[in-house]
Amino acid sequence: MDGVANIDDVTRGDKELCSETLRVESKLFYLDLKENARGRYLKVSEKGNNRERSTIIVPSAGISWFVELFHYYAGGTNEPGGPVNKELPIENKVFFFDVGENPRGRFLRVSESGAGPRGRSSLIIPSGGAGLTGWANFRDTLSRIYAAEAQLSGHVVPPTDLPPVLDVGVADWLSLQEKESFKAEQATVGGNQRVVGPGPAPPALVSADNGSQILRVGQKRFFLDPGTNHRGQFVRITEAIGPDRNSIIVPCQAIPEFQEAVRMVFEGLKLNVSDRPDRAVVTVGAGAATQA
């Protein structure tokens, strides 16, 4: 998805499950819970007078973490000192939460890596003044969407220290034992640790109909595409992260040696330096062998 226009094009045909609009000072924020064949996600768009419309896409697994992080920045954790910047790796994305200040007041910049022509798409949410009401209202709006998504999934929304997110009163849904169990497992986003959340998704390999292979690792994607030219058959390996792409071409006759080289490097990485046996290493171009 390169740019906001492409994000809107991609998500336009997806099913909308619930939607909220929030005004914070002079800005409007649109929060849309949507669903497609790959699952549910939250699309958050910002519309202001002085900057272009900007959008981030949050996987459904990250919504609860957004609630917790806005609770933290709105002062809900009652921790001494000011809030620190955070990173939230979730699936194949990383979201950055950075507090800043300008002549108009404090703000929270929420950026999604790998989106937009500059590599990131970001929202800028004003604090709302000394009471941090802008961040608190954003938190409460996220809480309602989180509750709606949980209900659609057939899950009970766990109680938190936040205000009730639905009129029915979420806190009444669970017994005292269930509340205590959730509190024991509740993720912590406070403190000085910079990286929070469940971490990136494990590597995933997908096969395409044309014989290509796509490997997802964190924010990166690797495309292995077979091809043919006047010199013969080859495999093009492309690394993609955000808008940036780099490729190499491996001739078909060199693929067995290429596989063996990757295997040997991998085996070397698994050895600790202290456990690595002495072996001869040929330095290309030096005309001599050295000991590793």
Side-chain angles (χ1 to χ4, degrees):
M1 298 182 205
D2 297 331
V4 174
N6 284 348
I7 290 176
D8 289 339
D9 290 342
V10 169
T11 64
R12 186 172 290 114
D14 294 347
K15 181 180 179 182
E16 185 173 290
L17 303 175
C18 74
S19 179
E20 294 225 15
T21 302
L22 173 66
R23 178 177 290 277
V24 181
E25 297 182 4
S26 62
K27 296 187 175 186
L28 281 174
F29 294 91
Y30 303 91
L31 294 88
D32 304 308
L33 181 65
K34 293 193 170 190
E35 185 176 41
N36 58 25
R38 295 184 296 275
R40 294 187 185 129
Y41 63 90
L42 175 62
K43 176 184 174 184
V44 186
S45 299
E46 170 195 343
K47 184 178 181 181
N49 296 327
N50 300 320
R51 66 192 300 254
E52 296 180 357
R53 183 183 177 110
S54 185
T55 299
I56 65 172
I57 302 294
V58 184
S60 61
I63 299 175
S64 63
W65 290 95
F66 265 65
V67 173
E68 291 293 331
L69 282 161
F70 271 89
H71 186 49
Y72 166 74
Y73 286 109
T77 56
N78 296 319
E79 293 185 354
V84 299
N85 297 338
K86 303 285 185 181
E87 295 179 14
L88 173 64
I90 189 82
E91 296 185 1
N92 64 329
K93 299 185 177 186
V94 179
F95 296 93
F96 300 87
F97 293 74
D98 302 295
V99 177
E101 191 166 0
N102 59 26
R104 293 185 294 273
R106 299 176 74 194
F107 61 86
L108 178 64
R109 178 183 285 107
V110 181
S111 304
E112 173 191 346
S113 67
R118 297 179 181 86
R120 285 194 191 183
S121 181
S122 61
L123 310 175
I124 298 179
I125 303 110
S127 66
L132 306 180
T133 55
W135 296 346
N137 290 339
F138 211 97
R139 171 201 64 192
D140 296 343
T141 304
L142 285 167
S143 296
R144 289 191 292 272
I145 291 178
Y146 172 45
E149 198 280 330
Q151 286 180 314
L152 289 168
S153 300
H155 300 149
V156 175
V157 180
T160 70
D161 295 331
L162 308 181
V165 293
L166 291 178
D167 293 337
V168 295
V170 174
D172 295 333
W173 292 2
L174 299 179
S175 66
L176 179 61
Q177 291 78 7
E178 288 173 318
K179 294 179 185 179
E180 294 302 322
S181 174
F182 173 76
K183 287 180 180 178
E185 298 175 358
Q186 188 173 13
T188 300
V189 300
N192 293 324
Q193 74 271 22
R194 181 175 176 83
V195 180
V196 299
L205 184 63
V206 178
S207 298
D209 293 339
N210 64 352
S212 296
Q213 302 293 318
I214 304 170
L215 175 63
R216 290 182 176 270
V217 184
Q219 303 170 58
K220 294 186 176 185
R221 289 173 297 165
F222 295 92
F223 299 88
L224 289 84
D225 302 307
T228 304
N229 59 23
H230 66 280
R231 297 187 186 92
Q233 293 180 311
F234 62 86
V235 175
R236 177 184 288 109
I237 302 176
T238 303
E239 174 194 7
I241 177 168
D244 300 323
R245 289 176 176 249
N246 295 290
S247 297
I248 63 171
I249 293 179
V250 183
C252 188
Q253 63 268 28
I255 288 177
E257 287 76 15
F258 191 89
Q259 289 178 306
E260 178 64 12
V262 171
R263 186 195 66 79
M264 292 174 65
V265 170
F266 178 67
E267 291 297 327
L269 289 173
K270 293 195 297 183
L271 293 173
N272 294 325
V273 174
S274 59
D275 297 334
R276 198 173 286 183
D278 291 339
R279 56 187 176 87
V281 177
V282 177
T283 303
V284 177
T290 59
Q291 291 293 316

